[in-house]
Amino acid sequence: MNNPQNDINVVKDFVKDFVKEIPQEISRELSERQLVILGLIASDSTISAKAISKKVSEKLSHKISEKNTVTERTIQNDIAQLKKLGILRRKGGRKNGEWEIVKGKEC
């Protein structure tokens, strides 16, 4: 079984490194939720929007006392924004594809 604390640490490490690698004007546009999404994708490039929604809800609820859920549609909107910014690409098909995070000057 996946250790949630380990997932959180992977996301934190990824976010810290990733923000250094992208242009500042882009990093300012990213929400905390979008950074968590990128961290989750970095740890599993085949993750679905539904699974991201569940994990983001878990991660963000650690920061606040009440349980907040993030809908799959919200995640899809965030992913669309990340794709528009040139940070995220989809390689392959809907079922067998995977996410690719674009870093550095490629953004």
Side-chain angles (χ1 to χ4, degrees):
M1 186 168 165
N2 234 356
N3 180 351
Q5 188 60 42
N6 188 40
D7 284 347
I8 291 170
N9 291 335
V10 168
V11 169
K12 284 181 182 177
D13 291 342
F14 169 80
V15 168
K16 188 169 65 171
D17 294 338
F18 180 75
V19 170
K20 291 177 188 174
E21 295 178 15
I22 61 172
Q24 252 186 342
E25 59 272 5
I26 292 178
S27 68
R28 285 189 206 125
E29 291 185 42
L30 299 178
S31 69
E32 180 180 1
R33 186 176 60 236
Q34 289 170 329
L35 290 171
V36 171
I37 290 168
L38 289 170
L40 290 169
I41 289 171
S43 66
D44 178 6
S45 64
T46 61
I47 193 167
S48 68
K50 186 174 186 173
I52 291 172
S53 173
K54 182 179 178 194
K55 289 188 177 204
V56 168
S57 294
E58 291 170 4
K59 286 180 186 356
L60 294 179
S61 69
H62 287 297
K63 297 188 90 175
I64 52 179
S65 59
E66 59 201 53
K67 189 82 169 171
N68 276 351
T69 57
V70 179
T71 66
E72 188 176 345
R73 183 67 191 145
T74 299
I75 299 301
Q76 290 170 347
N77 288 337
D78 284 336
I79 288 172
Q81 179 67 22
L82 292 168
K83 288 165 82 175
K84 184 179 175 184
L85 290 170
I87 295 172
L88 193 60
R89 282 188 270 222
R90 182 78 178 169
K91 289 172 42 177
R94 186 172 54 97
K95 290 198 174 208
N96 298 322
E98 60 183 42
W99 297 107
E100 177 183 22
I101 297 173
V102 181
K103 297 181 182 177
K105 295 179 181 178
E106 293 180 61
C107 290

